[in-house]
Amino acid sequence: AQKVTQAQTEISVVEKEDVTLDCVYETRDTTYYLFWYKQPPSGELVFLIRRNSFDEQNEISGRYSWNFQKSTSSFNFTITASQVVDSAVYFCALGGTNAGKSTFGDGTTLTVKP
Amino acid sequence: EAGVVQSPRYKIIEKKQPVAFWCNPISGHNTLYWYRQNLGQGPELLIRYENEEAVDDSQLPKDRFSAERLKGVDSTLKIQPAELGDSAVYLCASSRGGRNYNEQFFGPGTRLTVL
């Protein structure tokens, strides 16, 4: 069985602070994929990143960066110099060998205050 | 490129009534998903289609839920009869499909309230 845990239910920061959203996963599959999605107040989930289990390189995209550590089954997401527009619910998701089936965590609500 | 279209955006019904949701995926996307998202939780997959074939419906409550994807394009999800616990946001997503676990594009969802 697959499981994704996002232990932080809510995080509140002040604009320009850095913030890290944690994601811990469980799977028996040797090949799997990890995702992060953003769900702004409008409700539409927006894809941010996909990582496969063979690629442990960290990735940076503008103010966003992701730290994948297979040894601790974690795939954490950091926003540098947060902005008010980053306020949203962020979901981590896991996909296994059953191609297309993703298990989502319960999300972390990020509030960035001006 | 147009995104995933869902309608209606909101629906309020009384329990035991039927309800249907419609989804039009992104053109050329073979894979279509229906998710249910309860308040404060992540989306939960109900059914996945590869073209017109339902390839994963293990989480679909088949006693009251049904879905179809005629001609492998648009899809309809139906609940009959609705129960109070069905109140949730129903999300449709699509992807190019295949074995590469492609990115899923989500629609805005239908917020269902059952009174």
Side-chain angles (χ1 to χ4, degrees), chain B residues 10 23 30 34 42 44 57 66 69 71 78 82 86 91-92 107:
Chain B
Y10 304 91
C23 173
N30 299 325
W34 281 104
E44 176 190 20
D57 62 356
S66 64
R69 191 184 184 196
K71 301 181 182 178
K78 297 178 182 177
D86 296 331
L91 297 166
C92 178

Side-chain angles (χ1 to χ4, degrees), chain A residues 11-100:
Chain A
I11 299 177
S12 181
V13 299
V14 176
E15 207 169 18
K16 298 185 183 176
E17 285 185 15
D18 298 347
V19 58
T20 296
L21 310 181
D22 297 334
C23 173
V24 174
Y25 62 92
E26 295 176 29
T27 181
R28 295 178 184 170
D29 294 330
T30 53
T31 301
Y32 52 89
Y33 294 82
L34 294 161
F35 306 81
W36 276 96
Y37 286 87
K38 175 181 180 180
Q39 189 173 41
S42 62
E44 202 161 324
L45 280 110
V46 177
F47 168 86
L48 296 177
I49 189 171
R50 177 187 68 186
R51 234 23 194 171
N52 74 51
S53 52
F54 295 111
D55 183 0
E56 290 192 63
Q57 276 195 335
N58 292 329
E59 182 158 340
I60 298 174
S61 176
R63 296 184 297 105
Y64 295 170
S65 62
W66 291 270
N67 183 356
F68 177 26
Q69 293 203 346
K70 216 168 176 178
S71 59
T72 56
S73 298
S74 65
F75 186 45
N76 296 337
F77 172 32
T78 298
I79 302 174
T80 302
S82 60
Q83 300 176 1
V84 173
V85 293
D86 296 327
S87 297
V89 182
Y90 290 86
F91 290 96
C92 179
L94 167 67
T97 53
N98 183 356

Side-chain angles (χ1 to χ4, degrees), chain B residues 2-3 25 31-32 36-37 43 45 47 57 62-63 65 74 77 81 83-84 86 91 95 97-98 103-104 110 112:
Chain B
T31 306
L32 184 146
R36 176 170 57 191
Q37 185 176 19
L45 181 70
I47 189 168
D57 62 356
K62 298 182 184 62
D63 56 335
F65 285 64
D74 295 2
L77 177 68
E83 297 179 352
L84 295 176
D86 296 331
L91 297 166
S95 73
E103 165 191 354
Q104 295 179 34
T110 297
L112 173 68

Side-chain angles (χ1 to χ4, degrees), chain B residues 40-108:
Chain B
Q41 297 181 11
E44 176 190 20
L45 181 70
L46 292 174
I47 189 168
R48 174 170 64 97
Y49 283 93
E50 293 290 345
N51 298 303
E52 63 274 10
E53 182 184 358
V55 295
D56 186 349
D57 62 356
S58 57
Q59 300 299 315
L60 191 72
K62 298 182 184 62
D63 56 335
R64 297 183 299 108
F65 285 64
S66 64
E68 61 182 10
R69 191 184 184 196
L70 300 176
K71 301 181 182 178
V73 182
D74 295 2
S75 177
T76 302
L77 177 68
K78 297 178 182 177
I79 308 175
Q80 183 170 9
E83 297 179 352
L84 295 176
D86 296 331
S87 294
V89 175
Y90 291 83
L91 297 166
C92 178
S94 70
S95 73
R96 289 191 178 86
R99 299 176 63 85
N100 293 328
Y101 237 119
N102 291 307
E103 165 191 354
Q104 295 179 34
F105 293 81
F106 283 81

